[in-house]
Amino acid sequence: METKVENATNILSKVTGTVFNKEGQQQLLITLDEPIIGYQLERYTNSKGELYGEFTLFDNRIITAQQRKKIHAILSDIVKSSGGGRNAYDIESIKEDMKLIFCKSKGIDEFSTSELTGDCTVTIASEFITFLLDFCLEYGVPLSDPPIELAEDLKHQLIKCLYKRKCAVCWQTGMVYPMNTTGAKKVQGRHELMCLCKDHYQEAESIGHKAFADKQHVSGILMNQEQFTKLKNKR
């Protein structure tokens, strides 16, 4: 339920406990950094005596070694694709340029991917990896590692592949095919789709869509009729 208020109070808090009630709803015990005065609570209570708030969880996890490895691998491939010569990029230079563009697009402060600084969370690192993969897909940067193994947001990448007509597995030029990776009954107006190159589509047809999805760690993307029509008209 959404409740709009003219003003809102933002207070830093810490979750100190969690339980589930009889209805199966999760309840959090929150300790506030500062108390909320009684009249402030009344100000935000609606005519039914209900009080709602928005709770935001901060990611306190620091970038993992695996994420740093992925970032380095993708940046290395970008450097390779830029060619040599006097003006050739090195990994650190391209990383700083990419971070600058990424931070500007997100409206966030610059960060270091070093574990020593502690200012790059798992979430930021994941979004940065997705940003780098989007760049590679957009500009045709060949990857040394399989894209699926590098992806942090798999659904995002599979959707990108659909619109770019790139194989979900290898990023070679592909076609959009109807798939059934879950075994669910087909519903009119709902389409499960995946972009695959000729070789991977033949493999999917040979071993079965679900077996193929399990083997390659991919899945079909469900679309309604409006989304499907938009995808078909994409050139």
Side-chain angles (χ1 to χ4, degrees), residues 114-166:
S114 170
E115 71 276 17
L116 300 177
T117 61
D119 61 357
C120 181
T121 66
V122 167
T123 297
I124 291 176
S126 179
E127 292 177 349
F128 186 48
I129 290 169
T130 298
F131 167 81
L132 292 175
L133 287 175
D134 283 352
F135 176 88
C136 293
L137 189 60
E138 179 70 27
Y139 293 100
V141 176
L143 298 176
S144 301
D145 297 318
I148 294 299
E149 294 183 8
L150 294 170
E152 294 271 310
D153 187 342
L154 181 57
K155 183 176 180 180
H156 172 90
Q157 182 168 302
L158 292 173
I159 292 173
K160 280 281 187 178
C161 287
L162 282 174
Y163 281 94
K164 293 294 181 181
R165 302 299 195 268
K166 296 295 184 180

Side-chain angles (χ1 to χ4, degrees), residues 177-179 196 199-209 212:
Y177 295 99
M179 302 288 286
L196 295 171
D199 289 342
H200 281 116
Y201 177 68
Q202 289 178 345
E203 180 184 359
E205 289 290 285
S206 174
I207 67 175
H209 294 179
F212 174 81

Side-chain angles (χ1 to χ4, degrees), residues 92-108:
E92 286 304 314
S93 296
I94 196 70
K95 180 166 70 172
E96 291 307 310
D97 285 351
M98 287 296 186
K99 285 198 301 182
L100 186 63
I101 298 171
F102 170 75
C103 290
K104 186 175 181 180
S105 69
K106 290 287 185 178
I108 61 176

Side-chain angles (χ1 to χ4, degrees), residues 1-4 46 48 50-54:
M1 181 182 295
E2 296 183 359
T3 304
K4 295 183 179 179
N46 63 22
K48 298 180 181 179
E50 299 169 327
L51 180 64
Y52 293 92
E54 185 177 82

Side-chain angles (χ1 to χ4, degrees), residues 181-234:
T181 61
T182 63
K185 184 179 180 180
K186 187 173 181 180
V187 177
Q188 186 175 1
R190 188 181 69 177
H191 307 269
E192 184 182 350
L193 308 166
M194 190 185 300
C195 185
L196 295 171
C197 64
K198 181 180 179 181
D199 289 342
H200 281 116
Y201 177 68
Q202 289 178 345
E203 180 184 359
E205 289 290 285
S206 174
I207 67 175
H209 294 179
K210 188 177 186 307
F212 174 81
D214 292 340
K215 175 185 175 181
Q216 300 293 350
H217 308 293
V218 294
S219 62
I221 296 297
L222 289 175
M223 290 189 170
N224 58 33
Q225 190 59 46
E226 182 180 352
Q227 293 169 324
F228 179 58
T229 300
K230 182 179 179 181
L231 175 64
K232 286 198 304 181
N233 294 332
K234 177 70 176 177

